């Protein structure tokens, strides 16, 4: 739901309806329209934003499954999350060159999630992609 490094295109290629929204109003709307059976992936470095807290509580109320990707091992969002995936938390917020470590950790988690989704129905996904790209053997 929140801005992520998740690849929308490959996930859509395997038939999963995904929405990655960057605008706050669109995110709020999507959170309020969520329902049981929906899955939301929340990427939050620290979990400090009141806006993020509003969204995750709304998702929780609507019984959506919540996958929290965070580097804050004590995030207040943990109580609402169905699953929690922790990022590298050794990056010093002040004395760092860039967000390299956080970015690479998040990238790895999303690549891993995609590979698990793909592998879950490998034959179908492989053949479907082949068909869409008209790959002939």
């Amino acid at each position: 739901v929140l801005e992520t490094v998740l690849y929308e295109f490959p996930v859509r290629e395997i038939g999963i309806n995904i929405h990655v929204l960057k605008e706050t109003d669109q995110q709020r709307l999507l959170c309020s329209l969520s329902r049981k059976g929906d899955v939301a992936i929340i990427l939050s470095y620290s979990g400090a934003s009141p806006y993020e807290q509003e969204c995750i509580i709304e998702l929780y109320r609507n019984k959506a499954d919540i996958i929290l990707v965070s580097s804050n091992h004590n995030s207040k969002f943990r109580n609402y999350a169905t699953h929690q995936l922790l990022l590298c938390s050794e990056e010093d917020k002040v004395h760092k060159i860039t967000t390299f470590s956080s970015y690479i950790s998040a990238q790895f988690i999303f690549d891993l999630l995609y590979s698990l989704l793909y592998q879950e129905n490998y034959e179908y996904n492989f053949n479907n992609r082949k068909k869409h790209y008209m790959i002939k053997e």
Side-chain angles (χ1 to χ4, degrees), residues 8-64:
E8 284 181 78
F9 184 71
V11 174
R12 284 195 179 122
E13 279 185 322
I14 62 173
I16 296 174
N17 190 11
I18 182 171
H19 303 284
V20 179
L21 305 171
K22 296 179 182 176
E23 299 297 322
T24 304
D25 290 341
Q26 291 177 346
Q27 292 173 5
R28 279 195 170 114
L29 177 62
L30 198 58
C31 289
S32 69
L33 294 174
S34 66
R35 60 184 181 272
K36 187 174 180 145
D38 290 342
V39 177
I41 300 174
I42 304 291
L43 175 62
S44 175
Y45 183 76
S46 65
S49 164
Y51 157 72
E52 289 174 341
Q53 188 170 2
E54 289 172 20
C55 279
I56 203 165
I57 290 171
E58 187 68 22
L59 290 163
Y60 181 80
R61 268 193 221 123
N62 293 341
K63 300 186 178 5

Side-chain angles (χ1 to χ4, degrees), residues 69-135:
V69 180
S70 177
S71 63
N72 184 347
H73 296 236
N74 299 314
S75 171
K76 54 186 153 192
F77 297 162
R78 285 176 38 167
N79 297 330
Y80 299 103
T82 312
H83 305 284
Q84 184 177 12
L85 302 171
L86 297 173
L87 299 172
C88 170
S89 63
E90 299 302 317
E91 197 169 58
D92 187 306
K93 291 181 186 177
V94 177
H95 300 99
K96 64 181 178 180
I97 297 170
T98 185
T99 57
F100 179 76
S101 168
S102 301
Y103 180 81
I104 293 300
S105 294
Q107 186 76 46
F108 173 75
I109 295 241
F110 287 117
D111 285 347
L112 184 61
L113 288 172
Y114 172 75
S115 69
L116 290 170
L117 289 169
Y118 194 96
Q119 184 270 338
E120 187 176 313
N121 200 352
Y122 180 83
E123 288 297 320
Y124 172 81
N125 291 326
F126 182 76
N127 291 327
N128 199 34
R129 289 188 76 233
K130 238 171 48 172
K131 181 179 83 177
H132 283 96
Y133 290 105
M134 297 181 279
I135 298 170

